[in-house]
């Protein structure tokens, strides 16, 4: 059971997540790490544009203050 | 009776809420968790576009500083 | 007499207020609660669009950092 | 003589001021109160649109972080 | 010689400066006061639009976090 | 293995990275330095526009709070 | 060798730098001073518009939180 928001991120480490940021960017990849600022590292990540893969990154760090939502 | 704003969130845990964010995104789902930054976790969430379901998420964390309002 | 800005919010608890936020959203309802971040809870609230009622909420929490102004 | 910026606000309490905010909103009214965040309360305020009165408020609190400038 | 950025503001008190803010507003006037947030007070100020005087203010306080640059 | 987001930056010093900022700017270059604000210094950097080199810089400091993501 | 981002600014004092800010403004001039907020003072500065000199300033202070990047 999730009792604090960051518990959801903790439960999601090693799993695939979707990260949507300001400026309408979307990334899908395996959550490797996060911190209290909601900075996240994804592995085997792809940047999505209207549901299609636009670019691929073996690793990527996304800055927390640009995040709108993260969904496992 | 609500005497502080976050009391309303506290009363709403386990109930359905609507979350509207900057960039005109709307989410409806069951409030599972929140924190002092107004980060919220919704369960069985749907992203709404002009009142229609656009996407579904079993769980989603929405970053507090993108929230405009939350309505139970 | 009002001597500090938040005194006006304090005097307005239980009364109808208009809250205008960034992104040109307007809400009218009974002020139930506020905090030092200017987060506010309205009861029997309506979201207004060009003066017309667009949506109704029995309760709503509006995030302080999206507020432009509040008028009792 | 003004030696610190907030001295100008202090001198302006009880006088008419113009407040211009982000999003190009303009308000004219009697300055009743302000605080260190530049939150201000105006009395007998009017919201101006291209120099014309658009709305009137007996009292209004304007959030400091939306202010661009204030002129007595 | 200027060794810290605010030294330039200190040297400019009593002199004419140009202040350019977010949202492309420009103000010219005599710098009367500033503080650590870069809030500034100008005297005999004019708001400029494409190099032309648009409005005149005997005194004006401009909020620091809207400033892009200040030039003596 | 990456266990905190900044570990990825640490592992990337001396390697080529892509930095994407708000306002849709992209930079590619060798990561020379970073700090806790995610300010980064790139060497032999190029600013990219739609995948093409637009400008070249022998060294460049990019401000952390404009960063959206960094990919090694 | 640069080991922290601000070292690059330190090395650049007295040299010509390019400063690019939010809102797509560009300035070229001699770096005279900077502080921890990345506020910078340029001397013999010119504001550039599409590579052309638009305005000249003998001295200018640019607010750090509007900076996107600085290149020596």
């Amino acid at each position: 059971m999730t009792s604090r928001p960051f518990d959801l991120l903790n439960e999601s480490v090693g799993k695939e997540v979707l990260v949507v940021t300001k400026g309408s960017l979307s990334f899908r990849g395996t959550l490797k790490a996060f911190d209290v600022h909601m900075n996240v590292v994804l592995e085997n990540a792809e940047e999505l544009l209207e549901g299609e893969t636009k670019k691929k990154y073996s690793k990527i760090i996304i800055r927390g203050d640009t995040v709108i939502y993260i969904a496992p």
Side-chain angles (χ1 to χ4, degrees), chain A residues 2-37:
Chain A
T2 303
S3 60
R4 289 169 303 175
F6 277 78
D7 289 350
L8 179 58
L9 293 182
N10 213 30
E11 294 163 11
S12 301
V13 172
K15 299 184 186 156
E16 189 172 83
V17 297
L18 173 72
V19 179
V20 176
T21 69
K22 293 172 191 168
S24 300
L25 301 182
S26 300
F27 304 88
R28 188 181 297 280
T30 304
L31 182 65
K32 289 301 287 182
F34 67 91
D35 63 21
V36 295
H37 305 292

